[in-house]
Amino acid sequence: MRWYLSHVSLTLFVCITLITLYSFMFPPEAGSPLQGLSYASILLLSPVGILLALVSKHRGELSRIRITAIVGHSMLLLFLFLYMTLGYLILGV
């Protein structure tokens, strides 16, 4: 049963990525309740996805799905950090 957790983590990564891409392609209007959804989903769900991938059990050492989920969630957190710091400091976003 615990090997499903890596699949759940990868699915969570794909959903967060799609939400983030959608919010950049079609930005919500100012004051919309969906305005910070992508940032909140990265901030709240990426650590959960990393933990799910780390806790999952596989027969081998590390499966490709598990590695992809861990690296994907880590890249999303890195993107959020860089966007919030460099975007604010340099680009003035």
Side-chain angles (χ1 to χ4, degrees):
M1 181 68 181
R2 286 178 60 178
W3 59 275
Y4 280 120
L5 293 177
S6 62
H7 294 281
V8 171
S9 177
L10 186 64
T11 305
L12 191 63
F13 165 65
V14 170
C15 291
I16 293 171
T17 304
L18 290 176
I19 289 171
T20 304
L21 286 175
Y22 184 80
S23 73
F24 275 107
M25 290 173 56
F26 308 106
E29 296 177 6
S32 172
L34 300 177
Q35 194 170 10
L37 181 65
S38 64
Y39 307 121
S41 63
I42 292 173
L43 190 62
L44 297 176
L45 297 178
S46 282
V48 173
I50 291 173
L51 289 176
L52 286 176
L54 289 174
V55 170
S56 68
K57 264 190 178 176
H58 281 282
R59 293 185 187 110
E61 295 174 5
L62 287 175
S63 71
R64 289 183 186 164
I65 293 174
R66 187 175 174 189
I67 291 172
T68 304
I70 292 171
V71 170
H73 284 293
S74 300
M75 289 297 115
L76 282 174
L77 287 171
L78 179 67
F79 161 74
L80 183 67
F81 175 74
L82 291 176
Y83 183 75
M84 291 297 182
T85 56
L86 295 179
Y88 180 72
L89 295 175
I90 295 172
L91 302 174
V93 180

